Amino acid sequence: MSEEIIVAQQTDNISGTIQASGAKNSALKLMTASILGQGKSVIKNVPDISDIHVMSAVLSTIGASVDRSDHQLAIDTSTVDKWETPYKLVSKMRASISVLGPLVGRFGRARVAMPGGCQIGARKIDMHLIGMEQLGVEFKMDHGYLIAETPNGLHGGDIVLEFPSVGATENTMMAATVAKGHTTIDNAACEPEIHDLANFLCEMGAHIEGAGTSSIHIEGVPLSSMHPAEHTTVGDRIEAGTFLVGGALLGGPVTVTGVNPEHLHMPLIKLRQMGCDVDCTDDSIT
């Protein structure tokens, strides 16, 4: 059996300009959020990587149509008619749990395979459930599957996360988008990917304020008022930072485009403190 290897060779200098890929951690959640749009959404700047392929397969199994053209996805969720995700796909990628919030929001129920078949509490899944329980969701386990039901419907709630979990913030925010009444998520994760997801949800008809801060406020809207949208995924700050550090170590200059410098605020401070010259525009860093 052949093995794939990476060979790194010494070089005296790297320099040039490169476009940052779309952020994987944002694109995956945008894909699941499209379930709430109930139509054909277009997501641009999507990286062509295995995790995206797995999520596309997950969406396809519940009835969605996913078409890729270069770095753009057209996802039609008008035909989604299932609320169960298969273990054979979800076990490949932990981020698949992010379908939970949108499925509950759309159908009032979900049956989602636990990543790796793990029990509640084993891999920090509790934080997703605690937030959604405040919205009226009831959970139980059944042979490696998480069963979610809303016997009295989704309603707003005041949620305080034990720690600023990105996944819990995202799942709770997506479910709260179509919950009746007002929801507050305190100690929310503040990553740029949270803000990107909130922007997409608002483009689909949601009312969300404060995303990207530790306190998110959501005024629920009827599911019927949600609609598909077109959105461009933010640039991958981790990839961009990797290229910039490479330039710092090996002379440069390296320019990374397609990324918001504010998303690398602290790394850029550290690079300057180390004596690097750093110049920024609205969507590039040198």
Side-chain angles (χ1 to χ4, degrees):
M1 182 176 65
S2 62
E3 295 183 357
E4 293 185 1
I5 61 174
I6 297 175
V7 177
Q9 297 178 325
Q10 182 176 349
T11 182
D12 294 329
N13 175 263
I14 61 171
S15 63
T17 299
I18 189 166
Q19 171 85 24
S21 303
K24 176 202 74 170
N25 290 334
S26 186
L28 290 170
K29 315 309 168 56
L30 298 174
M31 293 173 70
T32 63
S34 69
I35 294 170
L36 294 170
Q38 308 170 96
K40 187 176 182 178
S41 291
V42 175
I43 306 174
K44 301 179 180 180
N45 198 29
V46 179
D48 187 5
I49 57 176
S50 60
D51 280 2
I52 298 296
H53 300 163
V54 171
M55 186 63 80
S56 296
V58 170
L59 292 175
S60 295
T61 63
I62 61 174
S65 171
V66 184
D67 295 313
R68 185 180 188 99
S69 175
D70 195 18
H71 291 285
Q72 176 174 298
L73 291 179
I75 306 176
D76 189 345
T77 60
S78 62
T79 53
V80 170
D81 58 358
K82 301 180 182 67
W83 50 85
E84 178 178 331
T85 60
Y87 170 76
K88 67 179 181 180
L89 288 174
V90 174
S91 62
K92 295 181 180 180
M93 183 179 63
R94 178 164 166 74
S96 297
I97 195 67
S98 63
V99 300
L100 179 62
L103 285 178
V104 169
R106 178 152 174 181
F107 296 107
R109 66 179 76 176
R111 189 171 190 263
V112 178
M114 296 286 286
C118 61
Q119 293 296 314
I120 292 176
R123 295 189 64 192
K124 305 296 184 183
I125 198 68
D126 282 8
M127 292 300 299
H128 296 247
L129 312 189
I130 291 171
M132 295 178 67
E133 284 175 341
Q134 298 301 309
L135 304 178
V137 184
E138 297 180 359
F139 294 99
K140 63 182 179 181
M141 288 292 298
D142 180 28
H143 297 89
Y145 280 82
L146 179 65
I147 313 298
E149 297 177 337
T150 54
N152 299 307
L154 281 172
H155 57 74
D158 294 323
I159 299 160
V160 181
L161 298 180
E162 183 178 343
F163 62 90
S165 161
V166 173
T169 300
E170 292 167 333
N171 250 329
T172 304
M173 183 168 66
M174 287 189 278
T177 291
V178 291
K180 185 177 181 179
H182 184 84
T183 295
T184 299
I185 306 174
D186 283 322
N187 201 25
C190 302
E191 278 78 353
E193 293 77 18
I194 302 291
H195 194 198
D196 199 31
L197 174 59
N199 284 343
F200 182 46
L201 290 169
C202 288
E203 289 159 3
M204 289 194 291
H207 295 163
I208 303 172
E209 295 181 353
T213 74
S214 61
S215 185
I216 300 175
H217 298 269
I218 305 161
E219 196 65 44
V221 300
L223 179 64
S224 59
S225 70
M226 295 290 286
H227 52 77
E230 184 174 300
H231 184 82
T232 300
T233 311
V234 295
D236 192 319
R237 57 198 170 98
I238 299 174
E239 179 182 298
T242 302
F243 287 126
L244 292 170
V245 169
L249 291 173
L250 295 171
V254 168
T255 298
V256 182
T257 63
V259 63
N260 186 341
E262 293 182 2
H263 296 170
L264 289 99
H265 179 67
M266 185 54 66
L268 296 185
I269 288 176
K270 295 301 181 183
L271 287 173
R272 290 188 175 104
Q273 289 176 343
M274 290 188 293
C276 298
D277 292 327
V278 180
D279 295 314
C280 302
T281 67
D282 289 341
D283 66 347
S284 72
I285 307 169
T286 301

